[in-house]
Amino acid sequence: MTRSVYVTGIDRGDGRQVVELGVMELLTRQVDRVGVFRPLVHDGPDRLFELLRARYRLSQDPATVYGMDYHEASALQAEQGTDELVSTLVDRFHLVARDYDVVLVLGTDFADTQFPDELALNARLANEFGASVIPVVGGRKQTAESVLAETRNAYRAYDGLGCDVLAMVTNRVAREDRDEIAQRLTTRLPVPCYVVPDEPALSAPTVAQITHALGGKVLLGDDSGLARDALDFVFGGAMLPNFLKALTPGCLVVTPGDRADLVIGALAAHSAGTPPIAGVLLTLNEVPSHGILTLAARLAPGTPVVSVPGTSFPTAAELFSLEGKLNAATPRKAETALGLFERYVDTGDLLKRVSAPSSDRLTPMMFEHTLLERARSDKRRIVLPEGTEPRVLHAAEVLLRRGVCELTLLGPEDQIRKKAADLGIDLTAAQLIDPTTSELRDRFAEKYAQLRAHKGVTVELAYDVVADVNYFGTLMVQEGLADGMVSGAVHSTAATIRPAFEIIKTKPDADIVSSVFFMCLADKVLVYGDCAVNPDPNAEQLADIAIQSAATAEQFGVAARIAMLSYSTGTSGSGADVDKVREATELVRLRRADLRIEGPIQYDAAVEPSVAATKMPESEVAGQASVLIFPDLNTGNNTYKAVQRSAGAIAVGPVLQGLRKPVNDLSRGALVSDIVNTVAITAIQAQHPKTPAQHLKTPAQSPTEKATSQ
């Protein structure tokens, strides 16, 4: 039976899109197939559905999302009555519900409609759909008493109309009233009530939205600059010294186009980070000279300068009437919205109340959701040595907005702040450290000299070494000033992990440091090891890689069924390469009799049940292996890249294992999402360390310090 969640309201202006986005995030975390249905829609594109479709990669045909438009619904109700209207919408809802495990229903928006009792219509539709209801009450610019009364009345209204009310959400309340309202509602309603404060960044229009609304022309700026939120408006009319004092972080400067002094002054202030602005809006259809625009572009690359035809007064009137909207073109607002929802809504409890059927499949999106949720549940501090790299800064913004972890970024502070300002990124919540000027440099030099004294390293030499961002970040982890480190977006694998070999070293129960990739296929997640570190492991090392990889898989919710891969299956082949895999398999069984393992085995027999039924019919691993151990780096690295590119798999990693504290490497082609996932994994690795499993170990070679660049 399809379970549906109906998000609705009582009036317009409740900011309900934050809740709809948050509920969609929860549903896709647990269920593979989530449908969307909006009973009534206005003419024009549906911004929220386009956002949901882009963010959650929905394959649903947009034509099935909507019941009918408001004009059609109003005419049908007038001619044939409400029963016929509801009956038609129910039929169209069930066309969606039959194809999905759960459906998110987006209620009517109470804006410019002609229905006499829109609340009752939403309640009746929810009941006819068999959907549970989450009513949203807007509290913007209202007193605490007014918000309390409206929330209680909304609950009574929907409950009185027979709705199954899952929870109430009171949204956009004043921050100073939020805690009081939440406390009082807890004792006055029989269902949970989540109280979410107003967030200015969500209601602030982006520079792109302002440009579109005012019919402006972009003179300078890139997509990242146009995506900045205009948190304030500063109108230029004063002389430059007084004008500069009026600038505020994230403001949009509005000035006549002939005031070149204010344009250059505002952009110079932005370049210096005092303060970073959203952009410059020029009125009167005046455009500065080519020389001024060239200077402006050099001062603040990417910062938008837009020209509009109107004068300052009508432009101001339009600006103050604009409000930011969540849509597919504002992914940063979506991250802010989700961060707000996850901070103030008990998502675990709400998900239990929804009772959506759990999927047997583990999709890439479910895996990514799980990573962020687990990292957020027990926050750790992660150090990112590449603090001036744009991809790292964009990832840091996502991580901070979603509240995934605490962050330290390394590099020259002025360069980090300038780059962040150019990208429109707020790093207020991040710690910035310049290793070359940090007071920690002397302490770290002494520590590194102690650790490497046997290699002849003096304090003087160490002082230079620890100025390197990767060595500095690794020492922060070693000294407990950070819980983990992620690097490699611009550094080689060797440069990233060599400091870890020298400083952090291997765990007592690990022979070597190795790695895995989480390969997120369409319907499952496989673990590949080792595809990044050890070129040609011997049997003992291969056994260690298998044991470590199984532990990593289990830590991240993948049931470990280990396949020791080779070019032959079972006893069908012989030779040094096969014998190595066979010996490694037996060593794993000797050390860890509790692990399910098969080897040697070919890849197809490991993952395809039909092949396994022929080649290894009695095996409990063949055909359903989840942890695949490759015999050497050449095989593993090429296989993971082939699967990634040919099968469209998402490869998360490499995730290093065997170190005493977590340090992880990025591919130099890493996307922002790759960095976010790797940081989340690192944070999880740093949580609740478990006692190493006790098992027999055979002598092995010393830990390899070889690393290969991807």
Side-chain angles (χ1 to χ4, degrees):
M1 177 90 182
T2 299
R3 180 65 185 260
S4 304
V5 180
Y6 196 118
V7 181
T8 182
I10 61 170
D11 203 351
R12 63 185 306 178
D14 52 27
R16 178 185 338 161
Q17 294 83 2
V18 172
V19 181
E20 292 167 334
L21 182 63
V23 172
M24 187 67 171
E25 183 86 2
L26 285 182
L27 295 176
T28 55
R29 186 181 302 164
Q30 183 167 335
V31 177
D32 179 23
R33 299 181 305 152
V34 180
V36 178
F37 185 70
R38 188 186 289 282
L40 300 177
V41 65
H42 292 283
D43 293 333
D46 187 331
R47 290 188 299 266
L48 184 67
F49 174 69
E50 291 304 316
L51 170 61
L52 297 178
R53 183 165 66 162
R55 184 177 185 86
Y56 299 104
R57 302 186 284 275
L58 302 181
S59 59
Q60 182 178 353
D61 181 355
T64 68
V65 172
Y66 312 113
M68 64 182 72
D69 66 43
Y70 280 95
H71 297 299
E72 180 187 359
S74 181
L76 180 61
Q77 185 184 45
E79 293 173 9
Q80 301 185 45
T82 300
D83 287 348
E84 185 61 30
L85 169 64
V86 171
S87 177
T88 303
L89 292 175
V90 169
D91 289 343
R92 295 179 183 180
F93 165 78
H94 282 297
L95 290 176
V96 176
R98 69 185 183 185
D99 293 329
Y100 295 93
D101 299 319
V102 65
V103 178
L104 172 62
V105 184
L106 312 176
T108 67
D109 57 13
F110 293 85
D112 302 321
T113 63
Q114 288 129 26
F115 294 102
D117 192 348
E118 203 162 338
L119 188 153
L121 176 62
N122 280 287
R124 182 170 176 188
L125 288 174
N127 290 335
E128 297 290 352
F129 295 168
S132 296
V133 177
I134 301 179
V136 182
V137 176
R140 198 173 193 194
K141 297 181 180 179
Q142 293 191 46
T143 65
E145 291 298 331
S146 176
V147 171
L148 288 164
E150 282 205 5
T151 304
R152 292 196 299 269
N153 289 337
Y155 170 78
R156 293 191 187 104
Y158 280 102
D159 181 64
L161 291 168
C163 293
D164 172 27
V165 179
L166 280 180
M168 299 291 299
V169 178
T170 304
N171 192 31
R172 306 182 87 176
V173 304
R175 283 192 174 269
E176 60 271 20
D177 295 335
R178 188 263 161 201
D179 290 345
E180 178 192 350
I181 293 171
Q183 183 178 13
R184 292 174 66 180
L185 284 174
T186 299
T187 60
R188 298 190 183 187
L189 291 177
V191 298
C193 185
Y194 308 115
V195 182
V196 182
D198 196 22
E199 173 52 62
L202 284 177
S203 56
T206 65
V207 179
Q209 289 172 333
I210 290 171
T211 302
H212 176 74
L214 300 184
K217 179 181 179 182
V218 178
L219 306 177
L220 296 174
D222 55 22
D223 289 342
S224 180
L226 290 167
R228 298 177 193 172
D229 297 320
L231 301 177
D232 191 12
F233 302 111
V234 174
F235 294 86
M239 297 302 290
L240 185 59
N242 291 327
F243 167 75
L244 291 177
K245 295 177 184 176
L247 296 180
T248 58
C251 70
L252 181 69
V253 171
V254 184
T255 182
D258 58 1
R259 290 295 304 270
D261 58 330
L262 301 187
V263 174
I264 296 300
L267 294 176
H270 173 86
S271 180
T274 54
I277 64 173
V280 178
L281 190 70
L282 305 176
T283 60
L284 301 176
N285 220 18
E286 290 281 345
V287 177
S289 68
H290 175 73
I292 293 296
L293 288 177
T294 300
L295 177 58
R298 291 178 179 174
L299 274 173
T303 299
V305 176
V306 177
S307 174
V308 296
T311 60
S312 295
F313 183 78
T315 298
E318 288 193 69
L319 287 175
F320 286 119
S321 67
L322 290 177
E323 186 168 336
K325 301 293 184 183
L326 285 171
N327 58 45
T330 58
R332 291 163 67 184
K333 282 189 184 296
E335 299 295 349
T336 299
L338 286 172
L340 198 67
F341 184 84
E342 289 160 348
R343 180 176 178 183
Y344 293 100
V345 174
D346 186 340
T347 55
D349 180 64
L350 182 57
L351 192 56
K352 291 177 184 176
R353 296 178 69 84
V354 170
S355 300
S358 296
S359 174
D360 293 332
R361 306 198 311 164
L362 181 60
T363 67
M365 189 173 297
M366 290 179 188
F367 183 69
E368 291 172 356
H369 287 335
T370 301
L371 292 181
L372 299 187
E373 184 65 23
R374 287 187 58 188
R376 188 185 300 111
S377 68
D378 185 13
K379 283 189 183 180
R380 291 291 186 257
R381 176 170 293 278
I382 305 301
V383 58
L384 304 177
E386 298 157 326
T388 58
E389 165 59 33
R391 289 170 295 159
V392 171
L393 290 171
H394 281 300
E397 179 182 41
V398 173
L399 292 160
L400 292 172
R401 290 191 180 207
R402 297 290 299 274
V404 174
C405 61
E406 297 177 341
L407 291 177
T408 297
L409 279 72
L410 301 184
E413 290 188 38
D414 56 341
Q415 292 184 29
I416 296 175
R417 293 189 189 282
K418 184 178 186 305
K419 180 64 70 173
D422 289 341
L423 297 172
I425 292 171
D426 180 10
L427 292 180
T428 305
Q431 179 187 39
L432 308 183
I433 297 178
D434 184 349
T436 62
T437 60
S438 171
E439 60 184 16
L440 293 170
R441 188 174 178 181
D442 289 329
R443 169 182 163 185
F444 284 178
E446 292 181 4
K447 180 68 176 180
Y448 184 71
Q450 292 173 10
L451 292 170
R452 304 296 287 175
H454 65 289
K455 294 290 187 179
V457 175
T458 63
V459 173
E460 291 75 17
L461 178 59
Y463 188 77
D464 292 332
V465 172
V466 302
D468 176 89
V469 289
N470 284 315
Y471 275 92
F472 193 93
T474 304
L475 282 158
M476 286 188 68
V477 176
Q478 176 65 18
E479 294 295 281
L481 302 175
D483 299 299
M485 184 181 92
V486 174
S487 188
V490 294
H491 291 92
S492 69
T493 296
T496 298
I497 66 178
R498 184 182 294 114
F501 287 139
E502 295 177 0
I503 296 166
I504 294 175
K505 305 183 186 299
T506 58
K507 294 178 180 178
D509 64 330
D511 291 334
I512 58 173
V513 172
S514 62
S515 73
V516 297
F517 279 88
F518 289 99
M519 301 299 295
C520 301
L521 304 176
D523 60 351
K524 59 186 172 182
V525 175
L526 300 178
V527 178
Y528 284 9
D530 173 8
C531 304
V533 179
N534 296 283
D536 189 17
N538 60 32
E540 290 83 0
Q541 292 170 333
L542 201 58
D544 196 65
I545 292 169
I547 292 170
Q548 291 183 32
S549 300
T552 301
E554 295 283 359
Q555 184 181 15
F556 289 92
V558 178
R561 295 181 293 274
I562 309 167
M564 305 294 285
L565 298 177
S566 176
Y567 60 78
S568 72
T569 295
T571 59
S572 65
S574 62
D577 292 337
V578 180
D579 291 342
K580 179 180 78 169
V581 174
R582 184 174 291 114
E583 181 185 351
T585 304
E586 293 306 317
L587 285 172
V588 173
R589 287 173 175 153
L590 176 64
R591 297 178 186 180
R592 293 288 304 277
D594 59 304
L595 292 177
R596 290 176 290 177
I597 186 168
E598 193 64 73
I601 186 171
Q602 292 162 289
Y603 191 101
D604 58 349
V607 301
E608 176 53 49
S610 62
V611 177
T614 300
K615 293 188 175 184
M616 282 191 155
E618 304 300 323
S619 173
E620 64 175 346
V621 171
Q624 52 182 342
S626 58
V627 178
L628 297 109
I629 306 302
F630 295 90
D632 54 58
L633 183 63
N634 181 53
T635 307
N637 193 269
N638 279 294
T639 301
Y640 107 75
K641 288 184 176 178
V643 173
Q644 179 186 32
R645 300 300 177 185
S646 300
I650 298 173
V652 180
V655 177
L656 297 185
Q657 50 193 16
L659 290 168
R660 291 176 184 267
K661 296 184 178 183
V663 171
N664 281 310
D665 178 41
L666 297 165
S667 165
R668 277 171 282 180
L671 303 175
V672 171
S673 59
D674 298 329
I675 300 172
V676 170
N677 288 336
T678 303
V679 170
I681 284 174
T682 308
I684 294 167
Q685 286 179 308
Q687 295 172 350
H688 311 302
K690 297 180 180 179
T691 303
Q694 300 298 313
H695 56 270
L696 295 172
K697 294 178 61 178
T698 56
Q701 296 177 359
S702 59
T704 179
E705 292 192 5
K706 295 180 181 179
T708 58
S709 177
Q710 295 180 69

